Amino acid sequence: MLPSCDFAIALLRRTIRPLAAGGSLTRKPDCRQDCGVLDSSAPACRGSASPLLPALLLALASFSIDASAQLRAEPAFAPGAAAPPLALASLDHGPQSLAALHGRPVIVHFFATWCEPCREEMAGLRRLAGRLAEMPPKNRPAILAIDVGEPATRIRRFLAQEVAGGPLPFPILIDEDRAAMKAWKVAFLPTSHVLGADHTLRFSATGPVDWDDARVPAALDGLLAAATPTAAFTLPALPDNSGSPQQ
């Protein structure tokens, strides 16, 4: 089913905003990637088709979009900043909290099932978790994957249909009311924050990360040290991929 006219209008408004920066069109709108959470209550791609939709989407193609600026925007938190509190229920691992992982590095990953790039990155996180399993538990970075704005039934259906290899080796937290998303200032999915053992921010990425990149292990190995500036390293992006704006 096509998204509603309300969705198309909201997408049009969201697309116009980057024009002030003088960008250029890099890709056509794709409902699978661009249907972000439009407001605090509406789920993605909800509603019936409207005859105005084709015209609106054609209008979108005539506007300039600086997708790279959206994908790699300024981080919400500066390196060295303390991470916000985090405590949520999970699908199969009971209550999860950042405080319970004090002393361990943590990868905090925000995603949604409707976000196409999130699916590819989830596979990369699974492979990363397999490599991390070889480290001593005390030093092993934990992974907390947080689904934004969706009920548990939808998340389970997504995992069963789209994520191969059986249950994920890390907890899936449920942020159905988007409270964690707001506290962590997430405006784009996927978004990942890498925290040191002291739970200060070390690295941040807005958009899908290539967790298989050869530079990642060395960066994660340094997370047990005291917080240091991290401007020299940027989490590598998945090639030819982008994320989905939140609104």
Side-chain angles (χ1 to χ4, degrees):
M1 179 179 292
L2 289 173
S4 65
C5 180
D6 289 341
F7 162 76
I9 293 172
L11 180 58
L12 176 62
R13 290 172 179 166
R14 184 177 64 216
T15 305
I16 293 173
R17 278 201 290 269
L19 285 177
S24 59
L25 183 67
T26 57
R27 60 180 175 86
K28 294 181 179 179
D30 183 342
C31 174
R32 295 174 304 169
Q33 295 190 159
D34 292 323
C35 53
V37 178
L38 301 179
D39 55 42
S40 60
S41 60
C45 291
R46 181 179 67 181
S48 58
S50 165
L52 294 176
L53 180 60
L56 286 170
L57 291 181
L58 285 175
L60 286 176
S62 67
F63 289 102
S64 297
I65 304 173
D66 188 352
S68 61
Q70 290 180 333
L71 178 62
R72 295 291 158 185
E74 288 296 318
F77 303 101
L86 179 64
L88 292 169
S90 70
L91 282 182
D92 300 306
H93 294 79
Q96 297 288 315
S97 73
L98 197 56
L101 296 170
H102 183 71
R104 288 183 62 186
V106 184
I107 297 170
V108 180
H109 174 72
F110 289 87
F111 76 102
T113 68
W114 46 261
C115 166
E116 190 73 15
C118 297
R119 303 182 183 189
E120 184 176 353
E121 185 174 3
M122 190 64 70
L125 278 172
R126 176 195 287 279
R127 292 189 293 271
L128 174 64
R131 295 191 295 272
L132 294 178
E134 301 175 1
M135 298 177 61
K138 181 180 178 181
N139 300 336
R140 181 188 307 157
I143 299 174
L144 299 178
I146 305 169
D147 181 276
V148 173
E150 299 180 294
T153 52
R154 183 169 181 176
I155 305 170
R156 289 188 187 279
R157 183 166 61 250
F158 161 77
L159 295 176
Q161 295 175 352
E162 303 291 343
V163 180
L168 290 168
F170 46 82
I172 302 295
L173 283 60
I174 306 171
D175 184 29
E176 189 170 358
D177 64 359
R178 303 177 180 87
M181 179 198 81
K182 295 172 185 176
W184 287 69
K185 302 179 182 180
V186 174
F188 213 82
L189 294 178
T191 285
S192 298
H193 296 294
V194 179
L195 311 179
D198 57 356
H199 290 183
T200 57
L201 183 70
R202 299 298 188 85
F203 314 115
S204 183
T206 304
V209 174
D210 183 2
W211 297 105
D212 296 315
D213 189 280
R215 295 169 290 175
V216 169
L220 296 182
D221 284 343
L223 293 177
L224 289 171
T228 55
T230 56
F233 178 78
T234 301
L235 287 170
L238 280 171
D240 300 323
N241 214 332
S242 64
S244 301
Q246 290 282 348
Q247 183 167 334

